[in-house]
């Protein structure tokens, strides 16, 4: 287990409260079970307790019970740091039928992340997909959203369905810098929509969705970090003892076109921000988006595959935001709109993929990985990427 997760141990009392909510208030044993599974074994929502075992014995990995899926590549925003702003790929929505065809290939799915390189709510079927995963599949559901279109009707349905976690993707604390960065966005509307959800949770007596605020550190917003803590602390104070918002600070995944945005914060400034988070009683995680100092043979991220809107499935989401979209599709494991992933999982191709990792090599699909260093890797290394040791 990554010991950095232990820093979130104080969240345990809230996690118990979320579980109690499923059992005592919603009377939903199947969603409660998925919540427990995700808390213990998922990588994005929990402790990933099986990762150390799989890292040392790939053959014990079971057919995936966690999956990320991109439902659209359409976006009405133009964000300076996002690879989408540099694409020539035509926009594409995944239909509900295509979505079901893909997720039904994973019959024991317990956790799903429903975000990709696009604005999910532009897909007219998005809430239908969320509804299917919560009501029919009883999975732990989480997604990222910029909250520009997260209106009260969407907020109410997310609360009533029991969406487990929503990542509020905001990279600024000031309207003028946010609106300049996210062209087409409206900072004041975003904050209004966040508060609409927070107040609705309290009205409906639901501690979920849990809110995590995502801040990507770059040279244009680094000075706003303490102001951002102030913004989140207002939500945290409102939800105190009920739910627990968290700030997830990450480094920029810098590809060539946005490399000049990258910055490595001074340790003194980071310590000052950490102390300010503590002063404001805001949970936070620092520097999670980092290059790993361990060799690629330690990778187990392939146990949580990522599906592009076109149906192409790749090992994980760590290959995104490298602006290598055509490479990803060309070297994907398979296209799940054309074949069944269970066939690939049982095939020699899977054994070959795992053998290359185990022997310290690099699979073609992983060539632009931003987590694990490799002498053959073509991935641009951002100045802000700080290698860390896994435990």
């Amino acid at each position: 287990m990554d010991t950095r997760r232990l820093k979130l141990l104080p969240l345990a009392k809230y996690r118990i409260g979320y579980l109690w909510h499923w059992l005592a208030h919603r009377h939903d044993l199947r969603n409660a079970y998925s919540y427990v599974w995700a808390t213990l074994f998922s990588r994005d929502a929990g402790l990933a307790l099986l990762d150390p075992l799989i890292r040392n014995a790939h053959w014990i990995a079971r057919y995936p019970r966690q999956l990320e899926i991109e439902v659209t590549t359409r976006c009405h925003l133009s964000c300076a740091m996002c690879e989408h702003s540099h694409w020539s790929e035509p926009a594409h929505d995944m239909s509900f039928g295509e979505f079901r065809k893909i997720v039904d290939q994973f019959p024991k799915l317990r956790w799903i992340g429903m975000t990709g390189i696009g604005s999910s709510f532009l897909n007219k079927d998005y809430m239908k997909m969320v509804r299917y995963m919560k009501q029919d599949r009883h999975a732990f559901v989480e997604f990222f959203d910029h909250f520009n279109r997260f209106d009260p009707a969407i907020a109410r349905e997310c609360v009533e369905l029991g969406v487990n976690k929503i990542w509020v993707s905001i990279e600024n604390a000031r309207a003028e810098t946010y609106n300049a960065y996210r062209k087409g966005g409206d900072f004041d509307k975003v904050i209004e929509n966040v508060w609409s959800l927070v107040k609705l949770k309290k009205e409906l007596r639901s501690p979920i969705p849990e809110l995590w605020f995502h801040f990507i550190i770059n040279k244009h917003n680094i000075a706003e970090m303490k102001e951002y803590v102030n913004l989140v602390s207002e939500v945290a104070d409102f939800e105190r003892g009920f739910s627990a918002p968290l700030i997830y600070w990450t480094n920029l995944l810098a590809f060539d076109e946005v490399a000049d945005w990258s910055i490595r914060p001074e340790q003194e400034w980071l310590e000052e921000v950490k102390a300010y988070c503590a002063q404001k009683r805001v949970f936070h995680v620092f520097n999670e988006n980092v290059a790993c100092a361990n060799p690629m043979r330690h990778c187990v991220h392939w146990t949580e595959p990522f599906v592009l809107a076109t149906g192409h499935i790749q090992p994980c989401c760590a290959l995104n935001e490298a602006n290598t979209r055509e490479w990803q599709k060309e070297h994907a494991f398979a296209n799940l709109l054309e074949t069944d992933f269970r066939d690939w999982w049982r095939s020699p191709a899977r054994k070959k993929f795992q053998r290359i990792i185990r022997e310290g090599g690099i699979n073609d699909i992983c060539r632009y990985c931003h987590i694990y260093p490799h002498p053959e890797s073509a991935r641009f290394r951002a100045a802000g990427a700080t290698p860390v040791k896994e435990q």
Side-chain angles (χ1 to χ4, degrees), residues 72-107:
T72 185
T73 56
R74 285 198 294 144
C75 191
H76 63 292
L77 302 176
S78 180
C79 303
M81 297 185 300
C82 181
E83 64 174 309
H84 192 281
S85 300
H86 303 274
W87 280 1
S88 57
E89 177 178 318
H92 177 76
D93 283 342
M94 180 181 287
S95 71
F96 178 70
E98 291 172 331
F99 177 82
R100 276 204 61 173
K101 181 175 182 178
I102 290 171
V103 298
D104 286 354
Q105 295 176 34
F106 300 85

Side-chain angles (χ1 to χ4, degrees), residues 209-227:
E210 181 181 19
L211 297 182
W212 282 27
F213 289 77
H214 188 213
F215 186 102
I216 302 174
I217 303 170
N218 64 76
K219 70 179 184 181
H220 297 290
N221 67 8
I222 189 170
E224 298 179 39
M225 291 172 71
K226 289 176 71 173
E227 294 174 63

Side-chain angles (χ1 to χ4, degrees), residues 49-64:
L49 293 180
L50 292 179
D51 278 12
L53 298 177
I54 298 173
R55 185 171 291 120
N56 294 300
H58 285 185
W59 59 87
I60 70 171
R62 293 182 294 177
Y63 191 74

Side-chain angles (χ1 to χ4, degrees), residues 233-370:
S233 71
E234 293 182 23
V235 177
D237 288 342
F238 185 83
E239 294 209 318
R240 188 81 59 199
F242 178 66
S243 188
L246 177 146
I247 300 176
Y248 197 86
W249 311 97
T250 66
N251 290 320
L252 173 66
L253 301 183
F255 48 95
D256 290 344
E257 290 84 350
V258 298
D260 61 342
W261 281 64
S262 182
I263 189 172
R264 184 170 185 167
E266 294 290 338
Q267 190 60 37
E268 183 179 355
W269 172 240
L270 293 182
E271 294 303 323
E272 186 175 335
V273 174
K274 289 178 184 179
Y276 196 63
C277 285
Q279 177 186 331
K280 290 289 187 175
R281 296 196 296 165
V282 173
F283 289 107
H284 63 279
V285 176
F286 256 94
N287 214 23
E288 287 291 300
N289 229 0
V290 293
C292 182
N294 297 97
M296 190 168 280
R297 61 183 175 82
H298 281 237
C299 177
V300 293
H301 288 255
W302 47 270
T303 60
E304 185 186 303
F306 184 95
V307 184
L308 304 181
T310 50
H312 296 86
I313 185 168
Q314 61 188 37
C316 68
C317 67
L319 309 181
N320 298 330
E321 290 294 354
N323 200 24
T324 57
R325 190 74 171 188
E326 290 306 312
W327 179 276
Q328 291 169 244
K329 290 189 287 187
E330 180 182 352
H331 296 280
F333 291 149
N335 188 315
L336 301 191
L337 297 177
E338 301 170 358
T339 188
D340 194 303
F341 191 63
R342 286 166 286 202
D343 294 335
W344 183 89
W345 189 261
R346 293 189 291 259
S347 73
R350 176 205 166 202
K351 295 179 181 178
K352 179 181 178 181
F353 173 82
Q354 292 180 336
R355 175 177 54 78
I356 290 174
I357 290 180
R358 188 170 61 251
E359 293 175 353
I362 184 169
N363 287 282
D364 285 339
I365 184 61
C366 300
R367 192 164 296 277
Y368 293 90
C369 173
H370 63 77

Side-chain angles (χ1 to χ4, degrees), residues 8-21 35 207 239-244 281 283:
L8 298 181
L9 194 58
L11 280 173
K13 68 176 183 179
Y14 288 97
R15 294 293 175 91
I16 293 171
Y18 302 151
L19 176 59
W20 180 251
H21 177 74
Y35 182 78
E239 294 209 318
R240 188 81 59 199
F242 178 66
S243 188
R281 296 196 296 165
F283 289 107

